Amino acid sequence: MTAGERRWLIAGNWKMHTTYEEALELAEAIQRRCPSLPNVEVILIPPFPWIVPLVERLRGSSIALGGQTCSAYDQGAYTGEVSARMIAPFCRYVIVGHSERRRLFGETDEVVAAKLRVALRYGLRPILCVGESLEEREAGATLHVVERQLRSACESLSLAECERVVIAYEPVWAIGTGKPATPSDAQSVAEWIRRWFVLRFGDVGKELRILYGGSVTAENAPGFFKAPDIDGALVGGASLDATQFCGIVEATQSVEARSE
Ligand code: PEP
């Protein structure tokens, strides 16, 4: 499969934002404004309590939902946790290993790997976030960090499991800072990630969807989408603004043909 054939994926991570009313309003505005494009998958990733009401609101639309994380456990006495099994009937995707979970909530590579497995077991498509901190980047350790994160979560996947995984390359220093990576830096890491998958999973690696995340806006999105190994974006801040978010969706169409 060539870059031109991989379907774009634009996912909006609302993090811990929106009240119930704001969530419904935002979803409706996005549904109204975003073009429905056959080659673009649009995913909203709201806080857990808004998932079920949004399923109702989005019925009949092509927009699907995702979870922001899931428990590493199946079920049981884990107060406050939300399992993949609970959200699977309502969500197509789930983020695992977001840097905020790793950094603020102590999620180790092992925990992230367990979450990825449980997500797959319940039929969800995990969006695995990988990326280096500023210190790691300055120490020249970007690929070392990304490799460690990929190996821990993905090395023992079957081909069928690998087909359902999406990778989001999100340099930690670019998240929420208004300072995105350059498209060419993001492309080099995305290309490296794809090679890593192709070495282990053959052609499935060529089909893998790789997103860039970190201060993506409607204005800078076209630059990232021209990169041959970037298949979309994981969007934080700009996903809370329907005009911005739909501008990012539309930016996929500004790319005429992507080279391999
Ligand atoms: C994110 O949290 O995954 C993210 C990319 O955030 P932002 O777009 O705000 O940088």
Side-chain angles (χ1 to χ4, degrees):
M1 188 173 278
T2 68
E5 287 169 294
R6 289 191 302 266
R7 201 165 173 227
W8 296 101
L9 174 58
I10 308 296
N13 173 14
W14 293 0
K15 309 194 186 189
M16 202 174 74
H17 294 293
T18 68
T19 61
Y20 174 66
E21 287 77 15
E22 287 165 352
L24 295 185
E25 241 170 65
L26 180 57
E28 275 169 15
I30 289 173
Q31 194 180 358
R32 246 191 343 265
R33 284 185 210 179
C34 271
S36 174
L37 301 161
N39 64 343
V40 188
E41 206 178 350
V42 177
I43 308 294
L44 304 184
I45 310 184
F48 284 131
W50 317 149
I51 288 175
V52 172
L54 287 185
V55 169
E56 288 303 319
R57 287 295 161 124
L58 295 171
R59 208 172 282 289
S61 113
S62 58
I63 299 174
L65 295 174
Q68 296 181 9
T69 183
C70 64
S71 176
Y73 301 102
D74 272 30
Q75 60 177 324
Y78 302 106
T79 302
E81 289 283 86
V82 175
S83 70
R85 184 169 176 249
M86 290 169 182
I87 62 170
F90 310 105
C91 290
R92 192 181 297 163
Y93 290 89
V94 64
I95 298 175
V96 295
H98 191 282
S99 65
E100 285 153 16
R101 302 291 322 168
R102 294 180 190 261
R103 197 164 44 85
L104 304 172
F105 301 98
E107 289 189 10
T108 60
D109 286 339
E110 290 67 34
V111 168
V112 173
K115 291 185 172 203
L116 183 119
R117 299 221 137 269
V118 84
L120 285 168
R121 187 145 19 94
Y122 286 105
L124 288 160
R125 293 168 179 266
I127 301 175
L128 171 68
C129 298
V130 297
E132 80 288 359
S133 66
L134 187 58
E135 267 175 14
E136 290 162 338
R137 175 184 165 84
E138 285 172 349
T142 298
L143 296 181
H144 175 76
V145 170
V146 170
E147 207 275 331
R148 192 199 71 222
Q149 293 170 333
L150 290 181
R151 188 162 22 86
S152 162
C154 299
E155 191 159 61
S156 58
L157 295 179
S158 68
L159 285 182
E161 287 171 331
C162 184
E163 275 175 0
R164 292 176 27 230
V165 170
V166 173
I167 303 296
Y169 169 56
E170 298 209 311
V172 179
W173 47 270
I175 297 179
T177 59
K179 294 186 183 136
T182 62
S184 92
D185 280 355
Q187 163 59 23
S188 338
V189 179
E191 184 183 4
W192 187 91
I193 291 172
R194 190 173 306 289
R195 267 208 311 274
W196 190 91
F197 275 89
V198 170
L199 270 174
R200 280 155 192 83
F201 301 101
D203 282 352
V204 170
K206 293 187 189 158
E207 295 169 33
L208 176 79
R209 282 184 298 173
I210 302 174
L211 313 181
Y212 166 74
S215 299
V216 175
T217 61
E219 292 71 38
N220 65 27
F224 292 105
F225 297 163
K226 280 187 197 119
D229 287 293
I230 294 176
D231 304 304
L234 181 52
V235 185
S239 72
L240 296 167
D241 177 320
T243 307
Q244 268 291 321
F245 185 66
C246 298
I248 296 169
V249 172
E250 275 161 25
T252 58
Q253 308 303 294
S254 67
V255 179
E256 277 175 22
R258 297 193 294 162
S259 52
E260 278 298 275

